[in-house]
Amino acid sequence: VSKGSSLKLLMVAEGSAHVYPRLAPTSEWDTCAAQAIVECAGGRVLQHSGGQPCDEGEPVRYNKPNLLNPFFVVYGKVVLPKKEVKKKEVAFGEASSSSVLSNPFMFGAACAGVAGVLYSVYTSVVV
């Protein structure tokens, strides 16, 4: 894509690109504002070996004595897919592994809960 490096960082920030490796010289003023936007959008701008001396894997830093940036790679926000929970259909009267009927403790707790509700209803009606 024929665009300036700051516009390519913004493409990653908005999600129209996922990764942008910049393995050529840039200056601080080329990238600092765009890096702030990428980071606010949940992405990262990490130093990469080559070019200027750097701390590989660390965020690009500014206000250095040398205004040239090291090579860097821009990564967009990582969004993990939501895990789908499969629901098992159970026929009426059939016990499942999560059914109250299949677990004696749950069955007892459910019965106690129903009994408590019935008692509350009975006392509020009678009294």
Side-chain angles (χ1 to χ4, degrees):
V1 176
S2 181
K3 294 183 183 206
S5 58
S6 62
L7 293 176
K8 291 178 184 175
L9 270 83
L10 296 177
M11 289 174 66
V12 173
E14 75 176 355
S16 61
H18 302 291
V19 178
Y20 166 49
R22 177 63 186 206
L23 308 178
T26 58
S27 296
E28 289 187 353
W29 57 80
D30 294 322
T31 59
C32 62
Q35 179 173 347
I37 293 170
V38 167
E39 290 179 355
C40 285
R44 310 268 322 253
V45 181
L46 303 179
Q47 300 176 46
H48 190 280
S49 62
Q52 299 298 312
C54 72
D55 296 321
E56 190 169 2
E58 293 294 316
V60 172
R61 292 189 180 87
Y62 297 92
N63 296 322
K64 307 177 300 291
N66 182 351
L67 297 178
L68 289 177
N69 290 325
F71 293 168
F72 58 85
V73 179
V74 183
Y75 298 95
K77 181 178 181 178
V78 176
V79 178
L80 300 175
K82 292 185 179 182
K83 189 174 181 180
E84 187 176 320
V85 178
K86 294 182 180 179
K87 295 183 179 181
K88 180 182 174 187
E89 290 190 29
V90 179
F92 181 75
E94 176 184 325
S96 72
S97 60
S98 63
S99 169
V100 174
L101 299 175
S102 65
N103 184 330
F105 176 76
M106 287 176 63
F107 182 72
C111 288
V114 170
V117 169
L118 292 175
Y119 180 75
S120 297
V121 170
Y122 173 75
T123 55
S124 65
V125 171
V126 173
V127 177

